[in-house]
Amino acid sequence: MKLTDYKVDKKAVKKSAKRIAGNEIIADFYRQLYTETAREKHLNRAESVCGCFQLWDIDHYRKQGIKDIKRINLCKDKFCLNCQNVQSKRRYTKYKPVLDDLMTERDIYHIVFTVPNCDGKELLGTLDRMYTKFPYIVRYFGGERKCNGIDFRSYGYIGAVRGLEITTKATKGKQVEYHPHFHCLFVLHKKGVNGKRKHINDFSYHNGKLRRKFTDFEILLQKTWYLFYNDQRLTADVVNSLQQGYSVTVDRANGNYKEVFKYAVKGSFKDGAIFNYDVFETLYYALHRRKVLQGYGVLNKYDFETVAEAEVEKVYAEILAELRKIEDPEKQLLTLQEICAELEHDDITYISKNAIRRELLHNDA
Ligand SMILES: [Zn+2]
């Protein structure tokens, strides 16, 4: 065990410090939300968003030049770029080894389910509908529901994970457009959905250029998703007679899972902040109490925590035991400003339990 294997990347700290640059603006949006609703919680939220990443609890092992970061206060807000980055990395770290393991026996596909863009007033209803209808897809793949003439079981589905992303397009003088979609990973049979890309439809074009042809499987999912979303019955006949569904793309993920664990509203940021208060308010209510990430099948039942955490705790305890042989640590409470000044010196090594977790799980995020 080498301590330096688990040190905190100083560049990553600087990057995070940059990520909170837009938090003042987010805090202002919460203050405005408070003036409109008179709900105290929005005011408290404004304060915690401002204070995010600002205070660091540290154990300083002076003789050894080591600082162990015990805790950093984080706001955990869904609009804080720093906290969302932390969370998406944590999710990725959690799922990555499990998915890699499944990949030895199965193929993992990145499937994106889209619905037509909507405006701010329609966003909440659109998301509610997407959330209600998506589980039907999983039920058909899993065999809980059956469709005469279409054998969803044949793809060998054993699990999936579904993440939400909402991108926002603001064009001057036009109403803001929202583009909600699900990034999913589906665990299917090896080579379960190979097929020729031969179909061309409206979703094949991007800015007028032909970008993509679709397989039979993609066309089936496009139509199936459309039918569920619009409350229509799924039968082989209806699928055959339907001209076009909604955009769905299927690609072999091959170990590349990041899109799924990305934070939901990253695409609504510009230069480190949400476009404007209206967009913020729309997204705030649309995402209120909404579960952004959901696992199904083997990816729901899996007990992620215990597998990884025991090893992390063990390594961390070993490191602390080594450090304490020389000296007991001195407690420090530092501000981000003080930390940033210190990062310029090379004589201090920062460690943290998080850094150990990342290293042990070979997280390249
Ligand atoms: Zn934060």
Side-chain angles (χ1 to χ4, degrees), residues 242-283:
L242 183 67
Q243 195 76 40
Q244 189 168 287
Y246 286 155
S247 167
V248 176
T249 58
V250 181
D251 293 286
R252 188 115 28 108
N254 281 339
N256 184 10
Y257 315 127
K258 286 194 184 141
E259 292 289 318
V260 179
F261 306 109
K262 219 160 67 165
Y263 32 118
V265 296
K266 195 179 183 187
S268 298
F269 277 78
K270 209 181 165 225
D271 304 328
I274 293 262
F275 293 128
N276 58 44
Y277 178 72
D278 282 344
V279 172
F280 166 81
E281 195 187 19
T282 301
L283 291 171

Side-chain angles (χ1 to χ4, degrees), residues 211 217 309 330:
R211 284 289 164 85
F217 182 62
E309 273 319 289
E330 182 186 302

Side-chain angles (χ1 to χ4, degrees), residues 106-135:
R106 305 265 166 170
D107 269 342
I108 295 168
Y109 291 87
H110 177 211
I111 307 187
V112 184
F113 294 86
T114 302
V115 295
N117 290 359
C118 62
D119 66 26
K121 281 195 276 322
E122 297 161 333
L123 183 63
L124 182 65
T126 302
L127 290 180
D128 282 346
R129 183 155 274 266
M130 289 171 75
Y131 271 65
T132 317
K133 300 303 175 179
F134 180 79

Side-chain angles (χ1 to χ4, degrees), residues 302-320:
Y302 204 87
D303 190 1
F304 296 98
E305 307 297 340
T306 51
V307 178
E309 273 319 289
E311 182 63 12
V312 173
E313 291 293 343
K314 193 180 135 228
V315 170
Y316 184 57
E318 282 169 13
I319 288 173
L320 292 192

Side-chain angles (χ1 to χ4, degrees), residues 17 55 90-91 99 107 167-168 253 261 267 286 317 334 348:
L55 284 178
R90 200 164 282 166
R91 285 171 172 163
L99 291 164
D107 269 342
T167 52
T168 306
F261 306 109
L334 297 181
I348 297 170

Side-chain angles (χ1 to χ4, degrees), residues 19-20 23 48-53 73-84 86:
R19 284 193 189 98
I20 52 163
N23 280 25
S48 70
V49 168
C50 279
C52 184
F53 210 56
N73 71 313
L74 295 174
C75 69
K76 302 201 169 113
D77 189 79
K78 54 169 104 59
F79 296 103
C80 171
L81 282 181
N82 183 46
C83 289
Q84 290 307 310
V86 169

